Amino acid sequence: MKSSGTTSLAPAPLSTDHLLNAPLPQLLAEHGVEVVEIEAEPRFTGGTFQRPDGSLLFVRPAGRPVAEWEITARALLGRALRVALPPLPAPFEVTEVPAPRG
C-alpha cells in the first residue's frame, strides 16, 4: 500500500470531559480557533464565526472577567463542534444566527 504523504490535520472528536477540563488555550489551539478581542456592549459575552474553510473565529469582548470567557469559549466550541454539554448557568445563553444565503 502506498501512502500519499499527506496527513489529516483534523483533530480527533472532542469529548465532553476534554471540552470542560482541558486548559482553554490548549483546547483552542487543538481546534485551530483564532480569537479576536473587541470592545462590545455589556450583554455580549462572545461569538463564533465559522469560515467557509471550516475554521473557527471567536470574538471575545475586551475587559471581561476571565471566568466569563472560560464559560463562553467552551460553550461556543461545544456548540460549533456539536458536543453534548450541560446547560449553561444563568444568565448565559447561546443563540445561533444562520449565515445569510447568497
Side-chain angles (χ1 to χ4, degrees):
M1 175 183 251
K2 264 186 148 176
S3 170
S4 67
T6 60
T7 58
S8 171
L9 297 178
L14 181 59
S15 72
T16 302
D17 182 61
H18 188 62
L19 176 63
L20 295 176
N21 295 303
L24 186 58
Q26 172 191 326
L27 192 60
L28 297 178
E30 287 172 359
H31 294 278
V33 177
E34 180 183 353
V35 179
V36 296
E37 195 169 274
I38 64 165
E39 293 296 324
E41 66 177 62
R43 291 178 40 106
F44 179 75
T45 57
T48 306
F49 177 74
Q50 185 169 12
R51 297 177 174 124
D53 69 359
S55 65
L56 296 172
L57 172 68
F58 282 10
V59 179
R60 177 183 181 175
R64 302 300 278 281
V66 171
E68 178 182 280
W69 176 242
E70 285 273 340
I71 292 168
T72 301
R74 291 171 194 278
L76 294 173
L77 187 59
R79 180 63 66 99
L81 300 178
R82 306 293 184 224
V83 176
L85 289 172
L88 287 169
F92 294 97
E93 177 182 316
V94 175
T95 303
E96 283 191 42
V97 179
R101 293 183 185 224

